[in-house]
Amino acid sequence: MEPAQPADRVPADRTPPDGQPPADVPAGGEPAATDPTPTPPPAAAAGKSERSPKDMAISLLVLLVPIALLLAFYRGFLGGDQATTVDPAPAIEQARSANVFPVSQPQGLGSDWKTVSARYQTVENGASLRLGYLTPEGRGVQLLQSSVPADRLLPAELTSQGQPQGPTELAGRTWQLYTARGNQQALVLLEPTRTVIVVGDARDNELRELAGSLR
């Protein structure tokens, strides 16, 4: 005979007999009750704009109006579209006082030529006077007069690819037409004590006008 089993012993195998529900499921066949609290609906996307196209257009107009007013004030009262001009006289006088090379100055140019820069400075192997102009067509031209030897000055100012294109006569002087950096071209006057360069992206007639005005 087998020894008697304890009355409170739980069988190891919880598999019910055939046709009976599992021990963890109520007899009615329904699963155990779950949390009755309903799942909240997903929150609306944060920051989603509910503004209509009309509201957005009004807001944009509010921003553009003061910008337009400031631009009109800048152009109408402060001369925003006009080039800032300088007086070249002090730099020219400084170059003449140094007496390193003879100094020429444009004469007879129209009022639509604007001087936008002027500087005299001593540099390695000499001194230079630079005058920058805005032409009547709105292009930039630089007038350079220097005592630096031409074999050093020309490569520095016109790049090593600058090449002479032939002579041209202007106001009784023989200039050389040169290629320069980018779309620029230059007129070069070689003299014993100085080299004069007129260079820029201006048209050929404007370069010639400036070079021919030097006195």
Side-chain angles (χ1 to χ4, degrees):
M1 293 181 63
E2 294 182 0
Q5 299 293 329
D8 58 350
R9 180 179 178 182
V10 179
D13 186 3
R14 298 175 62 89
T15 304
D18 293 343
Q20 298 295 324
D24 294 338
V25 179
E30 299 294 333
T34 58
D35 187 356
T37 305
T39 303
K48 183 178 180 180
S49 175
E50 298 181 356
R51 301 172 64 186
S52 68
K54 180 179 179 181
D55 294 335
M56 296 178 67
I58 293 175
S59 299
L60 183 60
L61 184 62
V62 170
L63 291 174
L64 291 178
V65 167
I67 294 176
L69 291 175
L70 287 174
L71 184 60
F73 177 78
Y74 175 70
R75 289 182 174 179
F77 295 93
L78 301 181
D81 289 339
Q82 300 177 5
T84 302
T85 60
V86 301
D87 181 7
I92 293 173
E93 182 58 33
Q94 185 179 4
R96 284 175 173 164
S97 298
N99 199 29
V100 177
F101 54 83
V103 177
S104 297
Q105 183 176 356
Q107 300 288 338
L109 291 178
S111 60
D112 46 0
W113 282 81
K114 310 294 184 183
T115 308
V116 295
S117 64
R119 182 180 59 174
Y120 173 78
Q121 61 180 150
T122 56
V123 294
E124 185 178 0
N125 300 313
S128 295
L129 172 64
R130 296 177 185 270
L131 304 178
Y133 294 91
L134 191 65
T135 74
E137 293 186 3
R139 299 178 181 272
V141 177
Q142 181 176 208
L143 168 61
L144 171 63
Q145 303 174 69
S146 179
S147 63
V148 175
D151 59 350
R152 296 190 179 187
L153 183 67
L154 295 182
E157 297 297 327
L158 308 181
T159 76
S160 58
Q161 286 73 38
Q163 297 295 326
Q165 303 298 302
T168 183
E169 293 292 326
L170 295 171
R173 295 170 174 170
T174 302
W175 295 71
Q176 290 286 337
L177 180 64
Y178 269 75
T179 58
R181 58 173 54 87
N183 63 340
Q184 297 182 351
Q185 57 181 342
L187 289 169
V188 177
L189 178 65
L190 299 174
E191 294 182 338
T193 57
R194 70 169 180 173
T195 299
V196 183
I197 301 176
V198 177
V199 59
D201 62 355
R203 297 179 185 274
D204 181 70
N205 63 306
E206 289 186 321
L207 292 178
R208 290 175 178 273
E209 182 180 358
L210 179 57
S213 71
L214 296 180
R215 301 289 185 271

